[in-house]
Amino acid sequence: MGRDFSFDDCGRAFTCLPVEEPGTPAEALVCNLDSLLGTMTHRLCVGSPPGVWVCSTDMLLTVPSTPGIGWDGFQGVRVIAVPGSQMYARSHGVYLTDEQGLVRDIVYKGKEAQIQQCAGPDGTVPLLSLFFDIVLCMARGMTEEDFVKGGGDASVRSARSVLWTALHAFPLSMACIPDASYDYMTTSASDHIRSLTLLPGSASHLRFCKTAHSHVDRPCLLEDGSSVTNCLLEGAVRLAAGSVIQHCHLQGPLEIGPGCLLSGLAVGSSPALQGCPLRDIVLQGHRVRLHDLPCRVFTLTGRLDDWQSPAKEATYLNVPWAEFFHRTGIREGDLWDAETPQRSRCLLSARLFPVLHACEALGLDDVLWLLAPAAVAGKRLARWRTAWRMSWQELLPCLDKAAELDARQALFFLQGQRKVRAVLLGRRDSSLLPLARSAVHEGYHEAVLGTLDEVASTAGDAGIAARALACIAEVLGCMARGEGGLRSGPAANREWALAFGRLESGDIAGGVRELAAERQKWMSRPALLVRAARHYEGAEQILVRQAVMSSCQFVTVEQADLPPLGHWVQVVCPARLDLSGGWSDTPPITYEHGGAVVDVAVLVDGCRPIGARVRRISEPELRLVSLGGTSRSEAVAELVCRELEHLQDYCQPHAPGALLKAAFICTQVVQFPSQKPLQAQLMESFGGGFEVHTWSKLPHGSGLGTSSILAGAVMASLYRAAGKAASTESLIHAVLHLEQRLTTGGGWQDQVGGLVPGIKIGRSKAQLPLRVEVEKIPVPDSFTQTLNNHLLLVYTGKTRLARNLLQDVVRNWYARLPSAVQNADALVSNAEECAQALRQGNLLLVGKCLDRYWQQKKCMAPGCEPLAVGRMMDALRPYVYGQCLAGAGGGGFLYVLTKVPQQKEALHQILAKTEGLGNFSIHSIAVDTSGFSVEVVGCDLKDGAHPREDMAV
């Protein structure tokens, strides 16, 4: 704990610093001991051999990141010194060394000539940072006789004799670190306040901040040069420059002038402080234990007061004692016994501070009156005199350090709960995961869970509530402490169905209450906690879907001619390449951060590879047919739906025909759920049913946006076959809606890429309702053909395994991991840079954007680069400006921008010689400047009268 300290009841080692460390796994206050351990571990000890390190905790130490200590060949004992002025050294110790850096002597409070001997070329001297009783015996210039005699009484001389025998043989060397410094934590309030309000030197690993681990309602009232640590300041609390508040819960209106230190004050102290003139004072609340009786005691001193100077020469509350006595009516006899010598009558021994009263409870007023003018002071004097009072010297042994640490911890998590509320309701990009870890570790998880429940149920915003539920899932995951199985998994236990149903119906508050009630049954062991976390993530996904479905208001459908019975409506679409910005379109990132994606509609080997066709049929049923790779291919899967019950698995992505079922529901061709049977609906509205065919030449997991583009094709053809028409903008938002109903949770870049022709950038703002705006990117003449000549598509032979990929990305985003937030910023800025490079026709810069984009994808979804793909990219790197796996990565297609045009055969030869690649293939791609087409064609496909093929025209 170190020696007693006047300004922190837990001592100098545990004095809290105004520091936040956002990169740490768990959120915690930073004390001087943490700082010293960090400095020693990551700076001083780097490269040192095994041994014992001894460090004083009475100082604030600053060391540059590379202190330059050489450890080669080191043996013995080494002291670490910092440079200081010769003036400062007169009150401290300095080392005298020889040319080899070995210590000859230690000069403590030496004369000017002695100190001058120790000076280096720059005039500074190496300051001693440890007491020299131990290290002095190892100094080369010290004799045993001089060392032992310097010990004072016999017991000390005996101890020094033992030290000499044990340690003198060890060589003592010194390392003086340029640019390092230490600030001794003195008993001066001015020094202490200055050390907490001045930024540490550039060499320090610490970064002081005005508010550290604190919630402040009105941060604009904190002047620059003030400091607030581990506090909850409610209302209007004004703090002047040069003042410090630590470990306080205060309610305004309060005004704290310059030169003040307030510590350990609870919210009940606020009324006493209102209207009280606070300037250049130190006001502290202490937890004291008198035998088994816990007490709260308040002390009040002046910033300029000296604790140990005799009262005749010193001040109290920054005025001479005589002036203080005159104003308050207090006499010397009230503070010191008659037999106390004058030289011992000082602030340290003055019985100023009331502890107990026979009749009344004591509070902050019982010391604040000492600041009052004479007219007010007279009314309080009698009460003060009848209270049992103690001096600071008498209070020190009674300080209850354990109770003080507990109180600081409770306040830390109380302000942490306010932080949770402020971060979520303010939509801030601050991570709450470190706080969640701390709360679980210290047993405050129930309080944090309660706050998250409150925010989720009262926010009135599906986006905020979803993030709050995600945070609850993180807390439950932390409580499992790495046990209980994988976080990603099913969330379909029937016990949670009631809560899920309330959320689905739009009753967020009711759903959150049901979730909290059910949660209590799943807290007993890690496996249950992990399953509960999964269900909270399932609940969060319900709210994300509701937030995204706000985009429905941008779907506009108009009436059109109903095609004749049996006539096919066919839509064929290009694939898409995402050149930059992907993942920023993914909910909730897209509406919480804002997204931007550069996409290109592309023909693959000269074809539009994705298509759908729909026709009305006389039978009141839905025929869902999946063809092979083209519109002429044989059916590979068929499904007939005649009852509404056949559609109820539309929200299960792996159920047969789920996408097509969802398309019928989202286009409102079929009303589901409904009391009216399916056949009745179809006959009443359309005079029969529908037959749908879909196809794609692209393999599963291609990364080219197949499923979303196919959804767009199905919806476009279905709208038209049902006598309706939707614009491209409406289709983009309609696909968003469909994928939320389907529960696949995709973003918007795929349908923008495949439904809007050519090269474009899609954008969404950080707001709800979610709206996607698309800007076509104009490129120089002939640049489109240049791209066609330089772009190639390489099938990696690896099926993309996206299992849990999206869930992991969303989880990291909701946790607001700094890396995820920074990467989201980088994705959007890279997309804008890529768009500009395309406008300029700068192939080299486009390639750089592609390479940067791939690094960003790997940051967003670690593990998305299989080993074989890495080998492939390494082999191609010398021949390309840039390359990237399409979509989320993990496999599928790699697209490359070659340095030389028409390189398909050359790249094939290169890859054929590369080991460990598997079955790859290379395909030509070209920008599709026409986009998808919607055609109403004939009705007979059996005799070769096919609709127009999917070849580009």
Side-chain angles (χ1 to χ4, degrees), residues 101 347 374 381 599 631 753 778 802 873:
L347 176 55
L381 179 58
D599 273 320
S631 60
M873 296 178 85

Side-chain angles (χ1 to χ4, degrees), residues 7-42:
F7 309 115
D8 195 297
D9 290 358
C10 297
R12 292 176 173 88
F14 293 95
T15 294
C16 287
L17 305 178
V19 172
E20 289 189 353
E21 297 179 305
T24 55
E27 189 167 328
L29 298 173
V30 177
C31 64
N32 186 36
L33 182 60
D34 297 315
S35 173
L36 291 169
L37 286 172
T39 297
M40 294 176 68
T41 303
H42 302 295

Side-chain angles (χ1 to χ4, degrees), residues 555-681:
V555 177
T556 303
V557 179
E558 299 176 350
Q559 290 301 122
D561 294 335
L562 189 67
L565 191 72
H567 281 241
W568 290 97
V569 177
Q570 177 163 294
V571 174
V572 288
C573 296
R576 73 94 185 91
L577 287 184
D578 53 316
L579 299 188
S580 55
W583 283 121
S584 73
D585 67 305
T586 304
I589 300 171
T590 189
Y591 61 76
E592 291 186 348
H593 176 274
V597 183
V598 174
D599 273 320
V600 184
V602 293
L603 308 173
V604 180
D605 292 329
C607 297
R608 295 193 183 105
I610 302 162
R613 59 177 172 242
V614 180
R615 69 175 175 176
R616 287 191 301 120
I617 56 177
S618 57
E619 296 84 353
E621 62 189 25
L622 306 179
R623 298 177 189 168
L624 313 180
V625 181
S626 177
L627 304 179
T630 72
S631 60
R632 295 188 179 191
S633 300
E634 295 293 325
V636 295
E638 295 187 39
L639 184 67
V640 178
C641 301
R642 298 187 177 91
E643 308 291 341
L644 282 178
E645 289 74 16
H646 297 159
L647 302 179
Q648 65 185 4
D649 59 356
Y650 77 93
C651 58
Q652 300 173 24
H654 300 295
L659 186 149
L660 302 183
K661 295 174 185 178
F664 275 100
I665 294 169
C666 292
T667 56
Q668 298 184 341
V669 170
V670 173
Q671 300 298 320
F672 181 91
S674 174
Q675 297 298 317
K676 188 176 291 186
L678 175 61
Q679 293 186 354
Q681 289 188 42

Side-chain angles (χ1 to χ4, degrees), residues 1 114 126 248 295 445 475 928:
M1 298 290 287
Q114 292 176 298
C248 291
C295 299
H445 51 273
V475 174
D928 184 354

Side-chain angles (χ1 to χ4, degrees), residues 327 369 371-378:
R327 177 170 54 80
W369 77 273
L371 291 169
V376 178

